[in-house]
Structure formats: structure tokens, C-alpha cells
Amino acid sequence: ASLRTLTLGVCRAGEILFSWEVQGLTCTSKDWIGLYIHNRQYCNKYSAYFLTNGEARGSGSFSRVCEGHYDLRLFLHGDNAVVASTASGCTPACRTNAVVVGTPVAVQACLAGRSVVVSWPTEQASSHPLSDWVGLFSAVTLSNRQFITFKYCTAAGTVALPAPCAPGAYEVRYFKHGSSYAYAGRSDLVVVPNSDHVQVRPSRLTQGQQEFEVAWTLSTAEPSSRDWVGLFCHGVPNGRYLACWYTCKGACEALDDFGHAHGALHVCGDVVQTLAPGNYDLRLFAAARGTYQDLASAFLVVAE
């Protein structure tokens, strides 16, 4: 049996104290402890390192550490395999088990129309509050450099970031001045729903009926004059449409408060009159998402 422990001592202003102990494994002069920005993906991307000099137990410190959230990781024999960590059992999107240096920031974020509204207590900001910044990230993004959008903070303690179109879970991370991409706080998840929708009125036709209406909502892509609705036999691939209509040919309303485009198409003519009895699909396509990637569909039944 072997024991590998890495224990956090005290975090003071700009300093992390720690201790380690290794039992049942051989220690060498190549053993080391790395300081990492919390959830840093790659072991060679450390912010600082400490050599244990082959000692099986001991203590040490990292000094002049910027405010933010960090992990400590223990490596043996010069390998890049973590044998102990302050974030043991931590999942990629884990919000706990971080080593916190300085004053954490209680960031709040909520979806409000076409914006993500971010707020924070101004007393938790750095000594250069207007140089602090907040970034919007996909919740599964590990790198703090891969933000979707960002803004510098304000003296009022609130900013609005443009909301992403794509549905999914997002979060806001707060970075203090000079933090070198170590965040000082992160918000709860902000969920952008998928509101793409197609509706057929009426949804049941009698053979020979001359017209129907297609109403649509587009939320997950920027609207375009090349967006379209296709009529398909039920279940066939997206390339095999019976007829199609550009959404700009219908009555397109202005974007709503959530940034969703709405519209309606009045469909009539020979294509409708000659539909054989059976089941059909009306599918919505956005030019911004690819030629044959449907975003929503509705069911249409033609009866005898």
C-alpha cells in the first residue's frame, strides 16, 4: 500500500503554504510540485514549481502568487502523471477544491433578453477595479483564454455581455487586474434554451386542400435572407425536399426581446393541392448553420 498526500496549509496575501508526504513509493531528486491555474488542462502549463529534493515529506511555499483560483499537483520521478493534488476527484467543470489566493469575487449572471447581465460586489474587486474584466465561457471550456466575449469591469459593479445564440450552458468568470488568467470568481450556470420552432396551421389537411401556414421561430442562429423551410415526406433525408420556401418570402416580424426571429409563410399552389395522402415534415433551416442541418420540424398529415 502507498500513501500520497498533498496538503494545503495557509493562503496569505500572495503566498501559498503547503506540505506533502509520500509513503510506499520511491522518491527521487526529480520529484516536484506544480502550481497551476485551477482546472488547467496540461501538466506542462504550470505557473510555478517546487522541487522536493527527493524528500518523502516536507513543506514549502509559493510566493508572489496573483489573486485567483489554483491547484497544487505532486509529480514523482520527473513524470507528468499526477500522484496527488489539492483538486483530487475534481471533474473538468468542478467549482470546488480550488486553492483560493486573495479575496474571491461573488459573481452573479443571468440571461436577460439578448444579454447576459453580470454583477459583483465592488468591494471584492482589485485595487485597479476598472482593469478587472469578466469573460463569458462555455461551461465545459477549461482554458481561461478561450472566452466567447469579454468586457472590462465598471465602477457600478455590473456589465452586460451579448448572449450567445447557440443553446447550452455558459458561465461568467471574473479576472482581477494582473491575474494572468487565474479567475477570482465564477458565476452559476447560465442556460441558453433552444427555442427554434416550427408550427403548421392547420396541422391536418384534406387531400386537395389549397393552402396552409407555416409559423417559425429562429433562436440559435443569426437570421438570414437565405434561411428556408422545406416540405418533406416524413423521415426522408434533408436533401430530398418536395418544395422549399425562403423565410424572407413570408411575414417576418422584428426580433423579440430575446433576440429570436419570428415569421410566418402562407403556402399555397399546386404543390399543396397535389399532395398525396400521408405524413409530411416541415423543416426549418438556417444558412448560418449549414445547408442541410434542420433546426426544427413540424408534422403535417394529409388525409383522404
Side-chain angles (χ1 to χ4, degrees):
S2 61
L3 172 68
R4 285 89 37 99
T5 63
L6 182 58
T7 306
L8 179 67
V10 179
C11 290
R12 301 191 288 228
E15 187 176 25
I16 299 173
L17 306 182
F18 59 89
S19 63
W20 76 92
E21 181 177 2
V22 178
Q23 294 180 12
L25 294 173
T26 303
C27 296
T28 73
S29 60
K30 294 183 178 180
D31 300 347
W32 60 288
I33 294 170
L35 173 68
Y36 293 83
I37 290 174
H38 183 52
N39 280 336
R40 197 69 182 256
Q41 189 172 7
Y42 302 108
C43 289
N44 63 341
K45 299 295 185 180
Y46 49 83
S47 300
Y49 68 91
F50 177 93
L51 296 175
T52 66
N53 295 318
E55 299 292 337
R57 64 182 57 84
S59 61
S61 66
F62 290 109
S63 59
R64 304 176 68 178
V65 181
C66 300
E67 291 193 59
H69 288 59
Y70 296 89
D71 301 328
L72 301 182
R73 304 173 191 173
L74 171 63
F75 303 86
L76 299 181
H77 311 153
D79 294 336
N80 282 334
V82 180
V83 297
S85 171
T86 54
S88 295
C90 193
T91 61
C94 184
R95 296 168 175 275
T96 59
N97 296 341
V99 177
V100 182
V101 176
T103 303
V105 179
V107 188
Q108 293 185 330
C110 64
L111 187 64
R114 302 176 66 185
S115 300
V116 175
V117 178
V118 185
S119 60
W120 61 91
T122 54
E123 65 272 15
Q124 295 174 354
S126 74
S127 57
H128 299 81
L130 301 186
S131 296
D132 295 356
W133 61 281
V134 291
L136 180 67
F137 296 79
S138 169
V140 298
T141 297
L142 295 176
S143 173
N144 291 331
R145 296 174 181 268
Q146 295 179 3
F147 48 83
I148 298 168
T149 186
F150 83 99
K151 277 190 177 180
Y152 284 105
C153 295
T154 65
T158 183
V159 295
L161 300 171
C165 289
Y170 299 87
E171 66 182 19
V172 174
R173 302 175 192 172
Y174 187 106
F175 299 85
K176 293 188 178 183
H177 171 70
S179 63
S180 298
Y181 292 98
Y183 66 80
R186 63 198 295 193
S187 71
D188 290 333
L189 295 180
V190 177
V191 178
V192 176
N194 185 347
S195 300
D196 294 333
H197 181 69
V198 180
Q199 183 179 12
V200 182
R201 298 189 290 253
S203 60
R204 185 179 182 88
L205 302 179
T206 302
Q207 187 178 17
Q209 195 167 336
Q210 297 184 2
E211 60 185 13
F212 61 86
E213 183 181 68
V214 181
W216 52 271
T217 299
L218 179 61
S219 70
T220 63
E222 291 295 329
S224 164
S225 61
R226 296 182 291 116
D227 299 341
W228 58 287
V229 173
L231 174 66
F232 299 80
C233 291
H234 179 62
V236 304
N238 285 338
R240 295 170 55 186
Y241 53 85
L242 301 173
C244 64
W245 305 271
Y246 285 112
T247 57
C248 62
K249 300 298 182 183
C252 183
E253 304 170 7
L255 298 179
D256 63 18
D257 291 341
F258 293 94
H260 303 164
H262 300 265
L265 291 165
H266 185 72
V267 180
C268 59
D270 292 342
V271 172
V272 180
Q273 296 178 42
T274 58
L275 286 177
N279 299 326
Y280 298 87
D281 296 328
L282 274 298
R283 303 175 192 170
L284 174 65
F285 298 83
R289 296 289 292 276
T291 304
Y292 290 122
Q293 181 182 348
D294 63 297
L295 304 183
S297 65
F299 198 52
L300 174 67
V301 177
V302 178
E304 295 183 2

